Amino acid sequence: MTEPSLPEVVRIAQDLIRFDTSNFGGGNAKGEREAAEYVGAYLQSLGLDVEYYEPIERRTNVMARVRGRDPRKSALVVHGHLDVVPAMAEDWTVDPFAGDVRDGMLWGRGAVDMKNMNAMILTAVADILRAGEQPERDLVLAFFADEENGGVEGSALVVQNRPEWFAGATEAISEVGGYSITVDDRRAYLLQVGEKALIWIRLVAKGRAGHGSRLHDDNAVTTLAEAVAAIGRTRWPLRLTATTEALLRGLSDLTGRSVDDPDALAATAGPAEAFLRSSFRTTTNPTALTAGYKHNVIPERAEALIDVRVIPGTEDDVLAELQQIVGDEIEIEIVVRDIGMETPFEGALVEAMVASLGRHDPGVPVIPYLLGAGTDNKALASLDITGYGFAPLRLPADLDFTGMFHGVDERVPVESLVFGQRVLADLLRTY
């Protein structure tokens, strides 16, 4: 049960976590319909007109537009996704879909990715409208399905079939940016101004089926295993971009250390180290294996899934190199391919986001970074909407926040949610 004494932003996040919107990928998902209807009802309670779009049964998207004070200014899209990756309850300390508050933390699948931000968006807009105010410009509030599957049954279909939702919008903000890290005991905020390209591939090995007891040199499982091991052990070289070079300069300014060793400099960011290091290079991680149907039958086909995240602009080169790594016996199928993006750390919106953080946490530097993963900003880019990651959270130094994306015992401090709601409301009032 939701506790009435908790701040509204926490109660909303709790409610959203309790909708099990697990997305297993490939069209296998529980669906976002109930969560979308909850969001829609909340927006309607604020006096907003709500539209739904459900192109596939139960894969529900919801949108409302908030009119701003200055109609001459372009609209800002403020968006989130309602699905989450699955959670295996036996691995967790708590029920991942209970929305428990313990030790000052909200626990549950989506507490970090990204039902926390959804709650911050809703309550920040509520703060403005309940005060009888308007945001500075029109806001397009959009909550998408299927982001955890690359958005193919969510934002990709929305921008294709409901582009009018985003009329007049040129910029967007969403998840995985605006949160704090601790660098050599000093706090700083990371603002996401780019994303690596996403390529999900399937490796396919084919061989000759046969009895499991035989001498058998044409075994698809063996061929696949060798290819998976080769990819999994590949360490891609450093390839810095304008954004990662700016990140390194920011870390160097904080620590006084040289930018010559990017990995060592990233290590000064404590638990965020792995998140930052992944932005310096391509990554290729095996994530799933499928082969066979009986212990004593050698199958004729074996498959593996590889999550490939590529430095923007190097996609074709990486695919060609992957084929060389696995050899001609392996077929590479592209399951999902999406763009990489990089935007300069400048302009009115960037300045407004930095200023909003500065008003609530004075004197703390804000540093740009390149996200190693992806968001629905990729889909909006097809409408020439420039996206940023800005889900503002002031976090404890010892919390491995980035490690909880898709992790076990996902949780976020209650006070961080309250901070984020205030910063976000500040930005929407003033930009």
Side-chain angles (χ1 to χ4, degrees):
M1 180 178 293
T2 302
E3 299 176 34
S5 61
L6 291 170
E8 184 182 23
V9 65
V10 180
R11 300 198 307 270
I12 298 298
Q14 278 185 310
D15 288 344
L16 290 172
I17 287 169
R18 290 166 181 166
F19 294 108
D20 182 355
T21 54
S22 295
N23 188 349
F24 294 85
N28 178 13
K30 295 193 174 181
E32 298 84 0
R33 182 184 292 167
E34 288 78 16
E37 289 173 346
Y38 174 94
V39 168
Y42 186 93
L43 293 170
Q44 287 175 323
S45 76
L46 300 176
L48 299 173
D49 294 327
V50 172
E51 294 185 39
Y52 295 95
Y53 178 53
E54 189 177 281
I56 297 169
E57 187 176 3
R58 295 192 50 75
R59 310 313 303 278
T60 315
N61 307 272
V62 58
M63 183 279 297
R65 183 177 284 255
V66 184
R67 295 298 175 184
R69 293 189 298 270
D70 191 344
R72 297 168 299 177
K73 292 186 174 180
S74 59
L76 176 68
V77 182
V78 187
H79 64 97
H81 63 84
L82 295 170
D83 62 325
V84 295
V85 295
M88 303 300 107
E90 61 270 22
D91 298 332
W92 285 57
T93 305
V94 301
D95 179 345
F97 297 103
D100 288 343
V101 174
R102 297 186 183 186
D103 304 321
M105 299 265 193
L106 172 62
W107 298 61
R109 180 58 89 213
V112 168
D113 184 11
M114 66 168 293
K115 291 176 176 179
N116 59 340
M117 175 61 166
N118 295 336
M120 288 157 51
I121 294 169
L122 293 172
T123 52
V125 171
D127 283 350
I128 296 169
L129 297 182
R130 288 170 183 164
E133 302 172 358
Q134 289 179 280
E136 176 62 19
R137 64 185 65 223
D138 277 14
L139 305 177
V140 179
L141 309 179
F143 299 85
F144 296 116
D146 201 46
E147 192 274 347
E148 297 295 0
N149 185 46
V152 296
E153 294 186 352
S155 59
L157 295 179
V158 174
V159 300
Q160 176 181 315
N161 299 319
R162 293 291 185 274
E164 68 276 9
W165 279 11
F166 310 100
T170 58
E171 295 169 311
I173 58 172
S174 189
E175 59 177 333
V176 208
Y179 59 90
S180 70
I181 60 173
T182 302
V183 182
D184 278 356
D185 298 323
R186 292 184 62 187
R187 188 162 60 249
Y189 288 92
L190 294 178
L191 202 157
Q192 190 256 97
V193 297
E195 303 178 8
K196 289 166 73 176
L198 178 153
I199 309 177
W200 284 345
I201 63 173
R202 178 184 292 111
L203 306 184
V204 179
K206 296 178 182 178
R208 180 166 46 87
H211 198 288
S213 66
R214 297 184 58 178
L215 289 172
H216 199 97
D217 295 329
D218 189 15
N219 189 316
V221 175
T222 302
T223 303
L224 179 75
E226 290 169 343
V228 169
I231 286 180
R233 292 183 179 131
T234 296
R235 292 295 174 263
W236 297 82
L238 285 167
R239 188 154 185 168
L240 301 180
T241 71
T243 300
T244 50
E245 288 175 346
L247 166 72
L248 292 170
R249 288 195 297 272
L251 295 176
S252 178
D253 290 343
L254 280 170
T255 63
R257 304 185 190 194
S258 170
V259 299
D260 294 340
D261 187 342
D263 288 329
L265 195 50
T268 65
E273 173 188 358
F275 225 56
L276 299 183
R277 289 182 62 205
S278 70
S279 70
F280 301 157
R281 49 177 63 79
T282 287
T283 59
T284 49
N285 284 308
T287 55
L289 298 168
T290 305
Y293 55 89
K294 196 172 187 299
H295 209 130
N296 61 349
V297 178
I298 298 169
E300 63 179 352
R301 181 183 177 99
E303 301 178 357
L305 302 182
I306 312 293
D307 189 342
V308 183
R309 308 293 176 128
V310 181
I311 299 298
T314 68
E315 294 90 334
D316 290 337
D317 291 341
V318 168
L319 284 171
E321 190 163 349
L322 284 170
Q323 190 69 71
Q324 288 185 333
I325 291 170
V326 301
D328 294 338
E329 289 185 295
I330 297 291
E331 179 184 353
I332 296 179
E333 297 179 353
I334 296 177
V335 180
V336 177
R337 179 170 177 170
D338 214 338
I339 61 171
M341 305 181 298
E342 200 166 16
T343 303
F345 185 59
E346 59 187 36
L349 178 53
V350 169
E351 292 171 2
M353 290 186 285
V354 171
S356 293
L357 284 168
R359 284 190 287 272
H360 293 267
D361 200 358
V364 178
V366 181
I367 303 171
Y369 88 110
L370 179 74
L371 177 63
T375 74
D376 284 318
N377 279 328
K378 293 180 187 294
L380 293 172
S382 67
L383 300 177
D384 295 324
I385 296 172
T386 302
Y388 300 88
F390 190 69
L393 296 167
R394 183 171 57 199
L395 299 165
D398 60 350
L399 180 67
D400 184 9
F401 178 73
T402 59
M404 283 187 285
F405 282 85
H406 300 189
V408 172
D409 285 345
E410 189 178 340
R411 60 197 183 276
V412 65
V414 166
E415 62 181 20
S416 298
L417 294 177
V418 174
F419 173 86
Q421 174 190 351
R422 291 172 178 166
V423 173
L424 200 56
D426 186 332
L427 173 69
L428 301 182
R429 278 190 172 98
T430 56
Y431 175 66

